[in-house]
Amino acid sequence: MRGDDFGYIEGVVETIRSGTWTPSDWLDPFNLLLPGISALLYAITDSLWVATSGLVIVLAGLNFVLLGRWLRANGLRDRWAVWLVCLSPVVINKFVEYTGVSLGVTLTLGALLAWHYKRVGLFYVMLLLGVLNRQSIVALLVFPLWEIGQHWRKAELQPVRHWIGVALVCVLVGSLEFGLPENYARSLMRAQLGWSVARDFLPVWGFGLLICLAIRTGWSWLSEGCGVLGENFRANVARPFGSFALSLAAVVIVTWSGQVIRWEAPGVEAWGELLVVITVFGGIWLGQLKDLGRTPVFWVVSVYLALVGLRSQWWDYYFIEPALVLVLNLRSVSTSSRWWVKAPVVIGLTIYVGLFGRLLREVESNMVAYEIAERSGALSIADASAGSFGWLGWKLFQPMVEDPKEPTESLSVFLMYVKAAQSFAADGAVWRTTAENETSIHPSGTLKPLPEGWQPRPFPLSDTEWRHYLRSELAR
């Protein structure tokens, strides 16, 4: 476990153990669908690996196929395009992780394809299932609402099926938002809604829009080649007011509000600021800015950005879903002759995937070494300073939730329980250091004592141990 996946695994594990949906306190998304599918797979196979990692593999393959269908449906038939997208660091990072992101992409692509082929019933089924997973898919309701508006403007008969479908999705969202039992993450988010969100909303929305302009420009390059970028640049230079205004807005947003992208994709964070500068100004000056708000695509993306605005921060993978919508309305041309441009990029990304795979093996080895050391008593969890975020979350998030004295400004406060620079893992073993500082691995450096008498729960290391744990034989 590297990150948020510990919360999703906790949700499915507790759902299987209790026989009823049991949400993790870590998760703000509804996350009803993923643990349900995994619980069903576990009941069939008696293997948590199949129910989680096996499901991740299936979803990744399905997303690869659906993405190819979606790109071809919009005229982008370049055989390199799907590989360029699926091998990109942000996408590959989330597609190999057991979270709701990969399933959300599956349902988003399914909904987009259903809308494209006018399968209205299937479109709403995908939306309803998507809401059970992650709320952000409601942005796709803009498509039927746009069509309703078009009929209204032309004084034509209203499409009743869209009214019914939109109403069903809205009722489901409202029922889940107010009917689900409160958990720590959702209560924390609601507590944080206020002036800070209102203050940051427009900068977050504007920053996201600038990145989406860059993504749109990237799709244009894949669809039409480098020639279209030069064509757009000349048009923007000829009429520079809009581009200059957006450039000034970008500078103000980034410097005044401090908007950044928080990178989860390994190795990208070191280049994060440079990438933001290149993409933002590349999107402004190399993209097509005219007729920006005259299509439903802009408004779908705008609604999605507004939902992110309520969270007041951008993580890299938040851009995956709007990127899929931005494929619409591309001017498609044959691009097979430019293979010599894209092949080196695909080769570079393939090398990255190989290095990423090695990192995953190192994280797994690290987690196993720490788990064995902690079980044997050779190491206290408070000294596991190089443990992965997900493994530490599995061990330490719950005592933070149960401690009434803990502040509620952040979900990652549990890192304050772990002392900095106390140990490291190498060659499958954990080694102690001689550090004697009184700081934690939390960014604040504040060190907090663990609740008295509290013992961390084990993290099973095999399917057999998971079966025992799920039957409570290893649970403490």
Side-chain angles (χ1 to χ4, degrees):
M1 293 187 294
R2 294 180 297 129
D4 288 348
D5 48 353
F6 88 86
Y8 288 89
I9 290 174
E10 182 179 60
V12 69
V13 163
E14 296 307 316
T15 295
I16 293 171
R17 291 182 65 190
S18 65
T20 59
W21 176 71
T22 307
S24 168
D25 279 304
W26 177 258
L27 298 178
D28 176 36
F30 292 149
N31 193 43
L32 284 160
L33 191 60
L34 188 65
I37 296 173
S38 290
L40 177 62
L41 288 173
Y42 180 79
I44 295 171
T45 64
D46 200 30
S47 168
L48 193 72
W49 187 93
V50 172
T52 54
S53 298
L55 178 60
V56 166
I57 294 170
V58 171
L59 288 174
L62 185 57
N63 286 335
F64 183 85
V65 173
L66 290 175
L67 178 63
R69 289 286 302 274
W70 176 236
L71 295 183
R72 286 194 298 274
N74 287 279
L76 211 171
R77 302 179 182 278
D78 187 346
R79 61 182 180 272
W80 297 101
V82 179
W83 289 105
L84 282 167
V85 175
C86 289
L87 295 178
S88 64
V90 174
V91 172
I92 197 71
N93 178 57
K94 299 308 290 186
F95 277 15
V96 300
E97 189 177 48
Y98 181 74
T99 67
V101 175
S102 190
L103 179 58
V105 170
T106 304
L107 296 169
T108 298
L109 284 169
L112 290 170
L113 284 165
W115 183 260
H116 177 81
Y117 290 112
K118 304 187 186 305
R119 302 286 298 275
V120 175
L122 181 59
F123 172 77
Y124 286 112
V125 168
M126 291 293 103
L127 256 62
L128 291 168
L129 291 175
V131 167
L132 294 175
N133 183 55
R134 295 172 68 85
Q135 301 92 299
S136 56
I137 200 171
V138 298
L140 296 185
L141 283 178
V142 169
F143 287 125
L145 290 174
W146 181 275
E147 188 166 309
I148 288 172
Q150 295 296 97
H151 283 273
W152 191 291
R153 187 173 61 86
K154 297 176 182 177
E156 297 175 349
L157 186 65
Q158 289 294 309
V160 177
R161 58 185 181 175
H162 287 323
W163 282 108
I164 295 173
V166 170
L168 286 174
V169 174
C170 291
V171 167
L172 179 60
V173 171
S175 301
L176 294 177
E177 185 66 34
F178 298 104
L180 288 178
E182 194 80 339
N183 70 353
Y184 191 86
R186 279 195 291 276
S187 63
L188 175 61
M189 183 179 177
R190 289 195 179 103
Q192 292 175 338
L193 290 175
W195 164 243
S196 62
V197 171
R199 179 196 63 205
D200 296 337
F201 181 85
L202 280 179
V204 172
W205 185 90
F207 180 78
L209 182 61
L210 292 170
I211 299 297
C212 285
L213 285 174
I215 293 172
R216 177 71 174 176
T217 302
W219 283 125
S220 296
W221 170 68
L222 282 175
S223 177
E224 302 173 69
C226 296
V228 71
L229 303 186
E231 180 183 319
N232 290 340
F233 179 73
R234 288 188 292 272
N236 290 330
V237 169
R239 297 182 176 181
F241 178 78
S243 297
F244 272 122
L246 283 176
S247 298
L248 179 61
V251 172
V252 171
I253 287 172
V254 173
T255 57
W256 172 63
S257 67
Q259 287 300 311
V260 296
I261 298 176
R262 299 189 179 189
W263 297 95
E264 276 197 3
V268 181
E269 63 278 359
W271 306 91
E273 295 182 1
L274 179 61
L275 284 173
V276 167
V277 171
I278 292 173
T279 56
V280 165
F281 288 101
I284 291 173
W285 289 97
L286 301 179
Q288 185 178 6
L289 304 181
K290 66 178 182 179
D291 300 328
L292 197 59
R294 297 185 181 180
T295 67
V297 173
F298 173 81
W299 298 105
V300 172
V301 172
S302 294
V303 170
Y304 182 88
L305 301 182
L307 294 175
V308 176
L310 297 177
R311 306 184 68 90
S312 298
Q313 62 183 13
W314 280 103
W315 287 93
D316 54 7
Y317 63 91
Y318 288 178
F319 289 102
I320 295 177
E321 289 168 300
L324 298 176
V325 178
L326 289 166
V327 173
L328 280 163
N329 302 329
L330 291 173
R331 292 185 303 170
S332 58
V333 297
S334 175
T335 59
S336 58
S337 61
R338 292 193 305 277
W339 64 268
W340 62 84
V341 177
K342 295 168 187 174
V345 180
V346 171
I347 292 171
L349 291 176
T350 303
I351 293 171
Y352 173 86
V353 170
L355 296 173
F356 179 64
R358 188 172 69 177
L359 172 66
L360 293 183
R361 290 190 293 273
E362 290 174 356
V363 170
E364 182 181 12
S365 174
N366 174 301
M367 185 181 68
V368 171
Y370 267 110
E371 177 66 24
I372 293 173
E374 192 270 326
R375 286 189 196 181
S376 67
L379 188 80
S380 165
I381 188 67
D383 294 327
S385 52
S388 67
F389 183 89
W391 182 79
L392 291 173
W394 174 269
K395 298 282 185 176
L396 298 173
F397 180 64
Q398 204 55 41
M400 186 203 85
V401 171
E402 295 170 358
D403 189 343
K405 294 181 289 186
E406 283 296 344
T408 57
E409 77 274 5
S410 170
L411 287 174
S412 62
V413 170
F414 67 87
L415 296 176
M416 293 182 182
Y417 292 134
V418 184
K419 299 174 185 177
Q422 296 295 303
S423 62
F424 64 93
D427 300 324
V430 174
W431 303 86
R432 298 296 299 264
T433 67
T434 57
E436 297 180 357
N437 54 46
E438 292 299 320
T439 60
S440 72
I441 61 174
H442 188 269
S444 69
T446 303
L447 183 63
K448 291 182 175 291
L450 280 163
E452 187 175 350
W454 180 84
Q455 293 294 322
R457 60 182 171 178
F459 181 77
L461 299 177
S462 67
D463 245 356
T464 300
E465 287 194 1
W466 273 116
R467 282 191 286 271
H468 290 165
Y469 183 86
L470 291 169
R471 294 166 187 147
S472 299
E473 294 175 22
L474 283 181
R476 301 184 206 173

